[in-house]
Amino acid sequence: MYQGFDDLSKEKIRERDGILFWLKLLSLVIVLPIVAELIFIYANIDSLSVIRDGLLVSIFPTISLVAISIYYFRVLLFNYKSVKSQLLQIDLRKTLCRFIQSYSSYASEIKSKDADVLDRFERVVFSGIVTEDGNLPSTFDGIEQIGQFIKSVKS
């Protein structure tokens, strides 16, 4: 099972690197036409009135190219974030597979001697992660206070 996740991880890393390459390339495609137009205008600032019509005609394709490139950049950026999230989940699963493989053999060996020896350890390891000791508020705690605040603001 670990090997399957490892192979999937390598494939996703290649996918992430490919998307990153295209993101860099598109960022150049977005900036380059604008910079080229500005350099052209600056180089021909003395005869700007002569080339004004040519600039007006060329600005619309430039804006269209930049807009389309920005759209594809957003799509690629979304895909990049998705692949990074998938890699994180795959790495977590790989870590869990390594832990479970060694833990299951150790637990079966030690529990054959004493059934309750790992009970406290299992409760700690397999419990949810909390930020501090004590009672943590549940998801819906505090909604009553928010409701009371809204009522007091309305009246």
Side-chain angles (χ1 to χ4, degrees):
M1 188 175 214
Y2 176 83
Q3 185 62 40
F5 283 126
D6 193 45
D7 293 343
L8 185 59
S9 175
K10 290 175 185 174
E11 182 181 326
K12 287 295 178 180
I13 288 171
R14 283 191 301 271
E15 183 179 347
R16 180 199 63 193
D17 293 344
I19 291 173
L20 192 58
F21 168 77
W22 285 107
L23 279 171
K24 290 176 182 178
L25 185 67
L26 267 178
S27 64
L28 284 175
V29 168
I30 291 170
V31 174
L32 200 57
I34 297 169
V35 170
E37 292 254 346
L38 290 175
I39 290 172
F40 182 76
I41 290 172
Y42 183 74
N44 298 308
I45 198 80
D46 297 333
S47 59
L48 195 58
S49 60
V50 175
I51 60 169
R52 186 183 64 148
D53 293 335
L55 284 174
L56 289 176
V57 171
S58 70
I59 195 120
F60 294 114
T62 302
I63 290 173
S64 299
L65 176 66
V66 168
I68 291 169
S69 298
I70 289 173
Y71 171 76
Y72 281 114
F73 185 86
R74 287 186 61 214
V75 169
L76 282 173
L77 187 61
F78 177 77
N79 287 341
Y80 179 75
K81 288 179 182 179
S82 175
V83 169
K84 280 185 65 171
S85 172
Q86 291 169 7
L87 275 170
L88 182 65
Q89 294 172 32
I90 290 168
D91 285 342
L92 174 65
R93 283 169 176 77
K94 284 171 40 177
T95 304
L96 286 174
C97 283
R98 274 189 263 147
F99 171 75
I100 292 297
Q101 288 169 348
S102 53
Y103 176 75
S104 63
S105 62
Y106 174 73
S108 63
E109 177 186 318
I110 198 80
K111 282 188 177 184
S112 65
K113 297 174 186 169
D114 185 8
D116 296 329
V117 73
L118 292 176
D119 187 45
R120 185 171 170 86
F121 171 75
E122 288 175 348
R123 274 190 270 144
V124 170
V125 168
F126 297 115
S127 67
I129 296 174
V130 293
T131 57
E132 60 184 72
D133 294 322
N135 295 335
L136 292 176
S138 71
T139 305
F140 298 107
D141 285 351
I143 290 183
E144 295 174 9
Q145 288 82 9
I146 294 172
Q148 292 172 357
F149 176 73
I150 291 172
K151 286 180 185 176
S152 67
V153 170
K154 284 184 178 180
S155 54

